[in-house]
Amino acid sequence: MRVHQLTLAAVAVAASLSLTACQNGDDGAARSTPSASSTTSAPSGAPSSGGGSDQGGGKPSQGTGSDGKGTAGAGTGSDASGKVGKCRTDELAITAAERTIGGDTDGTVAVTLKNRGSRDCTISGYAGVDLKTDSGSLSAKRTGQQADTAVLKKGESTYFGISYPLNTSGGSGVRVTGLVVTPPDETRSVTLAWPGTGTLPVTEGGGTPVKVGPVGSAGQGG
């Protein structure tokens, strides 16, 4: 009977030790599992929400152009829509020269417009032309010819012609003192010396005897 009691006591002690070992193993597993408030770290190389690799190594900030200076490259002449802008007065070198051919009944002055700017530009239509005379300003009348659109690259030129009556009356006529040219679609003008003959014949009945052709033409009638 004593042997049976000792055996039961030994089994009880072994069971107690086994239960204690299982409880210790469960506690260890619980400690190795992260709590719900733990933050999972980002994978190596992934940008954080505050910038990370975007600073100094990510995409360039919006608004930086292809030249890295916030513009799409100087000298193209294109606006935001990709179209070439119109030629401005301050981008054009404007000169005038006498081009009358012997035997013509009218005189001819050719006006040159040269692109001296840093971009390409378009020009089309009629320039404003006024002759300054000792009797006041005399505006040229358009010939009515079709006006084409031209793209002037840097350094390129285009022309238009002014025709005027030659003074063959023998009288003093109307003295011309200057030429005022306003490029198409512009409001700024340039004043040039008049290269043609010094006087125009006196006309009766009003109107203007001076005519101007469209940009892209030179001389009488084109």
Side-chain angles (χ1 to χ4, degrees), residues 36-167:
S37 62
S38 300
T39 302
T40 302
S41 61
S44 176
S48 68
S49 59
S53 62
D54 284 347
Q55 297 179 359
K59 296 179 181 179
S61 60
Q62 188 175 6
T64 301
S66 60
D67 61 358
K69 297 180 181 179
T71 62
T76 63
S78 299
D79 57 20
S81 65
K83 296 181 179 179
V84 178
K86 293 181 179 180
C87 298
R88 300 189 299 262
T89 301
D90 58 1
E91 295 176 310
L92 298 171
I94 303 175
T95 56
E98 173 67 21
R99 289 293 183 264
T100 302
I101 299 174
D104 286 351
T105 57
D106 287 335
T108 301
V109 166
V111 177
T112 302
L113 304 103
K114 181 178 181 179
N115 183 1
R116 64 178 180 181
S118 60
R119 66 179 186 117
D120 298 348
C121 63
T122 62
I123 191 165
S124 176
Y126 283 81
V129 171
D130 296 282
L131 270 61
K132 298 170 69 174
T133 75
D134 57 2
S135 300
S137 180
L138 183 64
S139 296
K141 182 180 179 179
R142 296 178 178 182
T143 62
Q145 293 173 260
Q146 179 67 36
D148 296 326
T149 300
V151 176
L152 286 185
K153 295 185 179 297
K154 181 180 179 181
E156 290 185 345
S157 300
T158 188
Y159 313 86
F160 68 85
I162 302 170
S163 64
Y164 64 96
L166 297 172
N167 184 12

Side-chain angles (χ1 to χ4, degrees), residues 15 23 28 131 166 170-171 181 208:
Q23 289 177 347
L131 270 61
L166 297 172
V181 176
T208 175

